[in-house]
Amino acid sequence: MTKTFHIVVLGGDGIGPEVCDQSVRLLQQMQPHLDGIEFHLDPHDVGVGEYQRSGEALPDSAFEACLASDAVLLGAMGLPNVRYPNGKEIAPQLDLRERLQLYGGVRPIQLFHESDTPLKNYGAGDIDFVLVRESTEGLFYGRDAVADLSADEATNQLRISRQASERVCRLSFELARRRGGKKKVSLIDKANVLSTMVYFRHIFDEVAKDFPDVTAEHVYVDAMALFMVRRPHDFDVMVTENMFGDILSDLAAGIVGGMGMAPSGDIGDNAAVFQPSHGSAPDIAGRSLANPIAMHLSTAMMLDWLDHPEAKRGAEALKAAVADVLSDPNQRTADMGGKLSTVEITDRIARSLDRQLQGQGSTA
């Protein structure tokens, strides 16, 4: 009996639709090679364009589709020059995280070739860790507050709850256990200054007791900014608060080639959204200059999360195809010093993907 996965596709704004279209193309290409599953792809308009058209950046119909789906693929949303009346950027992806309770922002960081990192003496596979960002509260909890610009001060609230902390820490330990390897989880906090971080650390330590086979450690966020550059090979899974994770994930992307190499999945108990970590980059939109690798790797994360043997086989084939193409440093888009377009690099990944799915492996 065929299992049908309902995948909502939200192209969004800027380069979002064009990178998303290329990943959809790869999904459609692998479909005939996967036994007993099929993908029902359900596109919806969201983001700035939809806001300008209808006044709603995330229409109810799109949200209900996301709620009913097996997973959501998202390109990128928001444009810096289009804002709500309160001055904030339009960011329906944050609304999705909160309304769907997507508490675990999972951001894998992997180096595919020595030429892609500014760090010395690191080659393919030497940098391989996952940053897990709690995505429903932290300092982002106060994002709806409106500043009185005539007042003498403005404040935001940082919220750390037991429920959110327990579930994101547990997700991180389970991920470390599944990854094997170092089997280590590093809590990134600021417990030497903030009482909320003392509380977060206490909950982390409680959860760690349930995973005696996984090493647990604490690292201050400022120290981690240094260690990520000096010794990224020492880390396996990191878990942190929302704002810390937002900042450190960009730094992490920078050591493996940039935001175009940084996939992500926002994971909840009953829903998940997969998207590249980069923004909408309106300055290059529509020119086939965008790097689609982060989108393709996010798609592989989605396939793995669907937790079906054939979907997982598709995920492994897609990751292997990306690694195969990137093993040649001449095969890069402009953001990484190369000359390939969004479509051209996907063409090469598509050819390798066919070989992976047919069991022929690399010809690089």
Side-chain angles (χ1 to χ4, degrees):
M1 184 174 180
T2 299
K3 167 70 174 176
T4 299
F5 290 108
H6 176 201
I7 310 299
V8 169
V9 180
L10 308 177
D13 304 306
I15 63 171
E18 56 194 286
V19 296
C20 205
D21 285 349
Q22 294 305 305
S23 284
V24 165
R25 167 190 163 194
L26 294 178
L27 275 177
Q28 292 170 330
Q29 176 182 325
M30 71 173 66
Q31 171 76 83
H33 299 281
L34 304 178
D35 297 328
I37 65 170
E38 62 182 24
F39 306 119
H40 170 60
L41 301 172
D42 181 14
H44 288 263
D45 292 327
V46 295
V48 168
E50 182 61 24
Y51 175 75
Q52 292 175 320
R53 187 187 71 81
S54 68
E56 294 288 338
L58 181 63
D60 289 342
S61 58
F63 177 74
E64 291 301 323
C66 293
L67 191 62
S69 72
D70 292 294
V72 178
L73 268 184
L74 178 91
M77 286 195 275
L79 295 173
N81 62 337
V82 182
R83 297 174 180 261
Y84 289 119
N86 64 8
K88 295 180 181 178
E89 283 193 34
I90 295 168
Q93 64 271 31
L94 300 184
D95 297 322
L96 275 177
R97 289 174 194 168
E98 292 169 6
R99 293 173 68 182
L100 295 175
Q101 282 297 288
L102 307 178
Y103 55 85
V106 179
R107 304 195 168 194
I109 298 296
Q110 182 178 356
L111 179 62
F112 288 94
H113 194 276
E114 62 182 15
S115 66
D116 296 332
T117 180
L119 305 182
K120 298 177 181 178
N121 303 318
Y122 285 97
D126 290 342
I127 300 174
D128 183 2
F129 61 80
V130 180
L131 182 67
V132 181
R133 166 189 176 188
E134 201 295 313
S135 296
T136 63
E137 50 179 37
L139 195 55
F140 279 39
Y141 180 76
R143 72 185 183 92
D144 290 330
V146 178
D148 179 354
L149 302 184
S150 64
D152 293 332
E153 65 175 30
T155 62
N156 284 112
Q157 183 178 0
L158 192 162
R159 181 176 190 262
I160 300 291
S161 71
R162 175 171 291 277
Q163 179 192 35
S165 301
E166 284 182 346
R167 64 191 183 183
V168 77
C169 289
R170 190 165 296 278
L171 172 66
S172 301
F173 278 97
E174 289 170 349
L175 179 57
R177 181 178 277 172
R178 288 198 304 272
R179 277 168 57 84
K182 297 182 182 70
K183 295 179 71 173
K184 180 170 73 171
V185 180
S186 308
L187 173 68
I188 306 169
D189 65 20
K190 196 63 178 170
N192 56 334
V193 175
L194 300 174
S195 60
T196 50
M197 296 289 102
V198 174
Y199 182 68
F200 193 15
R201 180 176 289 201
H202 171 69
I203 294 170
F204 173 85
D205 289 343
E206 286 186 338
V207 172
K209 295 175 184 177
D210 293 335
F211 297 86
D213 56 320
V214 179
T215 300
E217 67 172 5
H218 313 129
V219 184
Y220 293 139
V221 63
D222 46 336
M224 180 54 77
L226 172 66
F227 297 157
M228 197 175 281
V229 174
R230 295 294 297 273
R231 50 182 183 92
H233 56 278
D234 283 344
F235 299 97
D236 182 16
V237 176
M238 310 171 189
V239 60
T240 191
E241 177 270 341
N242 208 340
M243 179 64 85
F244 293 166
D246 189 28
I247 296 167
L248 287 177
S249 60
D250 281 23
L251 172 60
I255 66 174
V256 295
M259 298 306 294
M261 302 293 287
S264 77
D266 289 303
I267 309 297
D269 290 333
N270 301 302
V273 175
F274 298 87
Q275 63 177 11
S277 296
H278 60 66
S280 59
D283 56 321
I284 61 169
R287 299 165 60 191
S288 199
L289 293 175
N291 185 346
I293 297 296
M295 187 77 241
H296 298 334
L297 291 174
S298 298
T299 302
M301 290 179 69
M302 179 195 74
L303 291 169
D304 189 61
W305 185 83
L306 291 173
D307 201 26
H308 184 284
E310 285 297 286
K312 286 180 175 291
R313 185 166 72 88
E316 290 304 313
L318 181 51
K319 287 186 287 186
V322 170
D324 181 26
V325 170
L326 295 181
S327 67
D328 178 354
N330 294 311
Q331 300 191 120
R332 297 292 186 275
T333 45
D335 59 308
M336 300 177 72
K339 297 180 179 180
L340 297 181
S341 70
T342 308
V343 174
E344 287 170 339
I345 197 167
T346 303
D347 287 343
R348 299 183 188 204
I349 292 169
R351 289 194 290 269
S352 182
L353 178 61
D354 271 341
R355 295 194 296 269
Q356 305 297 333
L357 289 167
Q358 293 167 10
Q360 296 174 14
S362 173
T363 61

